[in-house]
Amino acid sequence: DHLVVVDDGSADETPSIVDRWAAGRPNVSVIHFPENRGLSAALRAGWEAVRGMLAQGEIADDDVAFSIDADGQHEPAALDGMIDHLVATGAACVIGRRDLGYHTSYKKLGNAAMTWIGRLSGGQHFEDIESGYRVFRIGPLLEAQEFYRGYKYSETVEVAVILSRLGYRVENS
């Protein structure tokens, strides 16, 4: 396993905490941005690191990669179940559904609107397309990244739609 951590320009102590934790761990790569460029840029940097590992033969197309947005809204213990679901269903991607109960009505409405647009654009039923808690097969993920041109926070939605449009199965139940 290899962990890629992307610090997207945190102004707090995150960069030094991550660097201290990663020191001496050969299977951990840390990427730092000098300023926040948004979630999409951070994810792209991480996926490009994964692309490099694939090119060097360190990983294979069918290996599993995952993303976790570090804002605390995801339950890390669910990761094993998401990977099991990915493998059992043959999906290219499993998107974890969030409990939006603690969000404002505005956030819930926005998430519902983006999910509805994703359903129309991707031709697939999504429940929570904006979730940053996702498990992928590396080959389809990197293929989708070739078509992704988004900005700031669009990566989660666009990659799910692109995967669907490319004919891959995306699970979001």
Side-chain angles (χ1 to χ4, degrees), residues 124-145:
Q124 183 171 328
H125 184 82
F126 295 106
E127 294 290 340
D128 181 16
I129 198 170
E130 287 193 301
S131 174
Y133 199 20
R134 305 168 302 159
V135 178
F136 298 95
R137 293 188 188 278
I138 289 173
L141 166 67
L142 296 180
E143 182 181 355
Q145 288 292 321

Side-chain angles (χ1 to χ4, degrees), residues 49-165:
V50 169
R51 185 181 302 281
M53 286 183 253
L54 180 66
Q56 293 175 6
E58 297 172 19
I59 58 176
D61 281 344
D62 203 40
D63 284 345
V64 175
F66 61 90
S67 67
I68 300 176
D69 192 357
D71 60 9
Q73 66 183 345
H74 307 294
E75 180 57 51
L79 186 60
D80 288 334
M82 291 173 63
I83 293 169
D84 290 345
H85 190 71
L86 180 90
V87 171
T89 63
C93 175
V94 172
I95 303 171
R97 240 175 115 184
R98 298 170 292 172
D99 175 6
L100 297 174
Y102 67 93
H103 284 293
T104 64
S105 296
Y106 178 75
K107 172 69 175 168
K108 291 176 191 175
L109 178 63
N111 189 70
M114 291 306 296
T115 298
W116 182 78
I117 291 168
R119 287 177 188 165
L120 290 177
S121 302
Q124 183 171 328
H125 184 82
F126 295 106
E127 294 290 340
D128 181 16
I129 198 170
E130 287 193 301
S131 174
Y133 199 20
R134 305 168 302 159
V135 178
F136 298 95
R137 293 188 188 278
I138 289 173
L141 166 67
L142 296 180
E143 182 181 355
Q145 288 292 321
E146 293 176 24
F147 298 96
Y148 170 68
R149 300 290 180 258
Y151 177 72
K152 291 286 185 185
Y153 296 94
S154 66
E155 197 266 4
T156 54
V157 174
E158 288 189 48
V159 168
V161 169
I162 292 167
L163 284 168
S164 295
R165 297 295 298 227

